[in-house]
Amino acid sequence: MVRSSVLVLAACGMLVFADSVCRAQPPGGPRRSGNPRTVFEVKTLPKDDVEKRILEVIEEVGRNQRAGNMIVPEEDGRLLRAWAEAVGAKHVVELGTSVGYSGLWFCLVLKKTGGKLTTFEINEKRAAIARENFEKAGVSDIVTIVLGDAHETVKQVKEPIDVLFLDADKTGYLDYFEKLSPLVRPGGVVIAHNMIPSMADPRFVKAITTNPDYETVFQHMDAAGVSVSVKKH
C-alpha cells in the first residue's frame, strides 16, 4: 500500500495528501493507539488576510451549522482545497451546495486564481444560508448559486470545468457525470463524496473505474469515502 500511495502523491505533487493515503506500517504490522484515523495533527493555516477571513467562516459554519445540514467533514474539505490547488482550478462546478461549507474550501483557491464557483442546490433555505456565508467570507463575487433541479439546470454550464464535485443525490451521480464529463478539461478532476460501498451507486463506480479517459483513486474510505478521477491528457 505504501508503494501505491507514493504514486498517488507523486501524481498529485502535494504531500498534504499523506495523512489520507500514506500509512506506512512499522515492522511487525500497524500499531494503533487512540483514533485509528489520526496519523498526524494538521491544521490549515491562513497564508494572508483573504484566507484568514474565509477560514474563520469555514470554522464558524462547521461549528454552528453542521447539525441538520449535509456538510463534508473538515478533513474532506481540506482534501477538496488541496486538489483544487493542485490543478490550479479556475472553474469549479459543485453539485450540492448545502450551506456553502465545501464551496468555501474551494474559494480559498479560486480567490487566488481569479476563478469562480458554480454551485447547484435544490433546497431554497439552504441556498439562502449559503449565500449569507459566502457574503460573510467575502467570496460572493466569485460564486454563482443555481437553484432548482440540477439534473436540468446543469445544462446551463457551457464553460470548461477544472474540478467537478458531486455531493448531491447519490443515484444522480451517473447522470451528472455523463452530462458534465465532456466539459472537464484534461488534467481536471471529478471528485465524488460518500463513496463507501454502502452509499455509492454501483453504476457510477463502474463508470469512473472502467472509463479509459480517467484515472480513479479512492481516499478517506475509513470515513465517508471520496473518489477522485483525474481526466487524462
Side-chain angles (χ1 to χ4, degrees), residues 27-182:
R31 301 169 186 169
R32 297 179 180 272
S33 62
N35 184 350
R37 295 175 55 201
T38 300
V39 180
F40 303 111
E41 290 296 328
V42 182
K43 180 175 177 61
T44 298
L45 303 176
K47 182 178 179 179
D48 51 33
D49 289 341
V50 172
E51 287 198 3
K52 184 174 184 292
R53 181 176 177 181
I54 298 172
L55 285 169
E56 285 175 349
V57 178
I58 286 175
E59 183 178 357
E60 180 183 335
V61 172
R63 182 175 62 250
N64 299 326
Q65 298 178 17
R66 186 171 296 280
N69 292 308
M70 293 170 281
I71 296 177
V72 302
E74 179 182 344
E75 62 181 8
D76 291 349
R78 294 180 64 247
L79 187 68
L80 297 178
R81 185 265 177 89
W83 274 103
E85 195 85 57
V87 303
K90 290 190 175 181
H91 187 203
V92 175
V93 173
E94 174 186 51
L95 281 300
T97 311
S98 186
V99 293
Y101 184 77
S102 53
L104 287 167
W105 283 101
F106 284 125
C107 285
L108 284 166
V109 177
L110 297 171
K111 261 297 189 181
K112 303 300 179 62
T113 61
K116 63 180 181 179
L117 169 67
T118 306
T119 180
F120 294 82
E121 176 58 48
I122 196 170
N123 184 286
E124 195 168 338
K125 181 179 179 181
R126 285 198 295 265
I129 297 172
R131 191 170 289 107
E132 292 177 1
N133 289 331
F134 290 134
E135 290 175 358
K136 188 181 298 184
V139 299
S140 58
D141 59 320
I142 62 170
V143 178
T144 299
I145 300 176
V146 182
L147 193 61
D149 182 356
H151 290 286
E152 293 300 320
T153 56
V154 292
K155 297 174 184 177
Q156 300 174 20
V157 180
K158 305 295 182 183
E159 302 174 51
I161 299 170
D162 299 301
V163 177
L164 171 60
F165 179 48
L166 306 179
D167 194 22
D169 51 310
K170 311 312 167 191
T171 56
Y173 281 16
L174 180 61
D175 182 53
Y176 298 134
F177 179 71
E178 290 177 343
K179 288 176 177 174
L180 295 173
S181 176

Side-chain angles (χ1 to χ4, degrees), residues 19-20 37 75-76 79 196 218-226:
D19 65 325
S20 305
R37 295 175 55 201
E75 62 181 8
D76 291 349
L79 187 68
I196 56 174
F218 293 88
Q219 301 182 301
H220 292 181
M221 294 301 284
D222 52 354
V226 178

